[in-house]
Amino acid sequence: TLDLLTKPDQLPAAARLVAANPQTRFVLDHLSKPTMRDADYDAWAAGISAVAANPQVACKLSGFLTFDAGMTTQRLRPYYDHLLASFGAERILFGSDWPVSVLGGGYPRAVEIVEELTADLDDAARDRIWRATALEWYPAAAKRLASRS
């Protein structure tokens, strides 16, 4: 699995990279760091849709506490809704972005926002976002965790 740390204007290049490497799984980090400006939303959403069209890409729901001062669930909701529509819960995974998330409220705040965003999902979909997708997309880490128990 290769993580992709991109900005929205790099999403077309990311889509080409993914298409050119069909044997590789990718995880798009931090929702591709949207600017959170209303004027930029449509271009971000189109880029996300293009990358998500390839089933070998998942997206990490992370980094959002530093996108905007005082991030709220309501502010992040349209971005999350588009991720859910584009990737489905089976290709979204939570990431804390710790320790950087401390700058925007810390791990408890990141968890609180994602709990609020995912509250209307069924248990299986929430499990995908919180746990199962990460275990599937990062199998080496999952194997190390399993060996510790």
Side-chain angles (χ1 to χ4, degrees):
T1 302
L2 177 67
D3 279 38
L4 298 171
L5 183 56
T6 62
K7 292 183 179 179
D9 64 337
Q10 297 167 325
L11 285 169
R16 291 190 302 274
L17 173 71
V18 168
N21 292 280
Q23 302 303 320
T24 303
R25 289 184 123 183
F26 296 88
V27 174
L28 183 64
D29 290 344
H30 309 324
L31 296 75
S32 192
K33 300 178 134 302
T35 66
M36 303 303 288
R37 291 189 301 253
D38 291 342
D40 296 336
Y41 177 83
D42 289 342
W44 170 85
I48 289 291
S49 295
V51 171
N54 194 311
Q56 74 204 57
V57 183
C59 186
K60 200 177 293 180
L61 183 53
S62 63
F64 52 83
L65 289 178
T66 59
F67 293 171
D68 211 6
M71 179 57 74
T72 65
T73 303
Q74 181 179 356
R75 182 76 179 108
L76 191 59
R77 171 70 63 185
Y79 296 86
Y80 164 77
D81 287 347
H82 187 72
L83 285 183
L84 190 59
S86 299
F87 287 97
E90 66 277 2
R91 291 193 293 139
I92 297 174
L93 56 148
F94 171 73
S96 68
D97 195 30
W98 186 88
V100 177
S101 63
V102 170
L103 299 172
Y107 180 77
R109 183 67 183 134
V111 168
E112 179 183 15
I113 288 174
V114 175
E115 284 178 339
E116 291 170 359
L117 289 170
T118 61
D120 61 337
L121 297 177
D122 63 33
D123 289 345
R126 276 195 309 278
D127 182 64
R128 290 296 306 185
I129 291 171
W130 285 108
R131 185 191 67 83
T133 301
L135 293 174
E136 178 184 339
W137 287 74
Y138 296 108
K143 185 176 179 181
R144 282 193 306 274
L145 286 172
S147 71
R148 292 180 185 169
S149 35

